[in-house]
Each structure stands twice: as structure tokens, then as C-alpha cells.
Amino acid sequence: MKIILKKEVANLGEAGEVVEVRAGYALNYLIPQGIAIAATPSALKQHEETLRQRAHKEAKLVADAEALAAKIEATPVKVAVKVSDSGKIYGSVTSAQVEEALKNLGIEVDKKNITLPDDIKHLGEYEASVKCYKQVKAALKVEVVSE
């Protein structure tokens, strides 16, 4: 029996896939639990239309993320920190500080999506990575300067 999965099922498939399973498994478990629906001709048409719309939205999101990535790569960020006489930073530079510096430049990025190299404890230039969308990442130049 063919079904359309509404949720991910281990060893069966991802949400939105059309899969073939035994009738008993579909009728007694998957459909009553709301995990799947029967793949009737009308349900398949509706599913194809949903996939088409989702692909269109996905393409727009990827294009927006690539534009954001290009903007991030073109903009170096300066983070001002307090420094000791020997040039060592009090504490270390965090992704929250980089997020704030990006926000001051007009770029909105969540700090969870910023990946810094191990520990930034000295002045200088560093390379960070910013995840804009699923597989879209941008390289960000972070320059740490003293206040």
C-alpha cells in the first residue's frame, strides 16, 4: 500500500515522501497515529502541489541567504575590547560580541549561527564562519582591536 508520510519514521522515510508499506502497518498504525495518509490520486496531486510550492519557497530562502552571505563576506567586522599592557585581552571575544558588531553594521545574524576559531585572546585578525541557511555559509573577517 502506498502512503504519504506526514512525519519522519525511522527506517522508512522522511516527512513528505511517498513510500510503499504493508497494508496492515499502514491501516493499523501509521494512518490512525496521524503519521501518514493514504496515497490516493487526489492526495498525490495535492502532495505534488505542496512539494512544488515548498521548492519555490526554498529557492527564495536560499537566494536570500546567499545575498546575506555575500554581504557578510564583503564586510569586515571590528570588535573593540579592553587589553592589558602585554596585548592580551581580558577574557575572550565571544560570538555575542561579533553579533553586536554585525548588528551595528546593519546585518542581523543570530549568535548561535556564528562559529569563531577556538579562543580569541589576542589582538589581530581572525576568520569566523556564519551559517546563513542550511548549506549556505559565509566567511567573516573579524579584527580584534583595543578600545
Side-chain angles (χ1 to χ4, degrees), residues 10-11 17 19 22-23 27 32 37 41 50-51 62 74 85-86 102 117 121 134 141 145:
N11 299 326
E17 284 187 33
V19 294
R22 293 197 175 191
L27 296 173
I37 58 172
T50 303
L51 288 178
V62 168
D85 294 334
S86 64
L102 283 170
K121 295 191 179 218
K134 293 177 182 176
K141 291 190 188 320
V145 294

Side-chain angles (χ1 to χ4, degrees), residues 9-21:
V9 179
N11 299 326
L12 191 56
E14 300 285 323
E17 284 187 33
V18 178
V19 294
E20 183 81 28
V21 296

Side-chain angles (χ1 to χ4, degrees), residues 7 15 18-19 25 28 33 35 37 56 59 81 85 100 130 143 147:
K7 299 178 185 174
V18 178
V19 294
Y25 183 47
N28 294 325
Q33 294 290 327
I35 298 172
I37 58 172
H56 180 68
V81 294
D85 294 334
E100 188 65 34
V130 179
E143 185 178 351
E147 284 186 337

Side-chain angles (χ1 to χ4, degrees), residues 51-103:
L51 288 178
R52 191 181 62 75
Q53 290 175 359
R54 193 178 298 156
H56 180 68
K57 287 179 186 176
E58 182 78 15
K60 184 179 182 325
L61 289 172
V62 168
D64 291 346
E66 287 174 347
L68 177 65
K71 187 175 179 182
I72 288 171
E73 288 178 351
T75 310
V77 174
K78 287 188 179 183
V79 178
V81 294
K82 292 184 180 180
V83 180
S84 69
D85 294 334
S86 64
K88 192 166 181 171
I89 297 174
Y90 293 118
S92 63
V93 176
T94 63
S95 58
Q97 291 171 310
V98 176
E99 175 193 23
E100 188 65 34
L102 283 170
K103 193 178 287 184

